[in-house]
Amino acid sequence: MKLETSAMLLVIATAVAGCGTWSPWSGPTEQSRIPRDAAVYQCEGGKTLAVRVEESGKSAMVIFPEREFRLDQTEGTRYSNGRATLLAADNEAWLEEGDNRTFNDCKRKTN
């Protein structure tokens, strides 16, 4: 009888635990990694590109949910680190990684 009660409690606890939204395997959402001062662009294919240009304008951070990286200003609103190149004008942007344009036709989102 005691074993049956323990087994039943385990089944109930497992079922209740599955009802919550928190999980140790769930990571932060994309929005939670985007700083308030970042420009957010909506790109073709439903992709989102977040960019934070430093106050000096000499570098920009590209922010993804899984990684972020810094690019240095090369000219005007163009930034690069030798592997990736970003053009981030006021309302438009694109990002190339290597020879592949990974984010294209990006338009700045307005709140």
Side-chain angles (χ1 to χ4, degrees):
M1 180 83 162
K2 187 175 183 180
L3 182 59
E4 290 174 4
T5 303
S6 296
M8 181 60 82
L9 288 175
L10 180 60
V11 168
I12 291 170
T14 303
V16 170
C19 293
T21 57
W22 181 85
S23 167
W25 297 280
S26 64
T29 62
E30 179 177 346
Q31 187 63 35
S32 68
R33 283 193 44 97
I34 300 174
R36 292 181 192 259
D37 60 345
V40 179
Y41 298 87
Q42 190 63 47
C43 307
E44 91 181 6
K47 295 181 178 181
T48 300
L49 176 64
V51 176
R52 189 181 81 225
V53 176
E54 299 298 324
E55 280 188 44
S56 66
K58 295 183 187 262
S59 66
M61 292 296 294
V62 176
I63 304 157
F64 296 120
E66 68 281 356
R67 66 186 171 117
E68 60 184 65
F69 53 91
R70 179 182 153 188
L71 303 172
D72 295 318
Q73 184 181 35
T74 57
E75 61 179 86
T77 58
R78 189 179 296 256
Y79 300 85
S80 183
N81 64 6
R83 294 179 304 275
T85 301
L86 168 74
L87 175 72
D90 287 333
N91 296 317
E92 297 183 34
W94 53 256
L95 177 70
E96 290 179 350
E97 295 183 82
D99 294 330
N100 186 22
R101 187 160 294 184
T102 54
F103 289 80
N104 195 35
D105 194 27
C106 303
K107 307 290 183 211
R108 188 166 182 170
K109 292 172 67 175
T110 56
N111 295 341

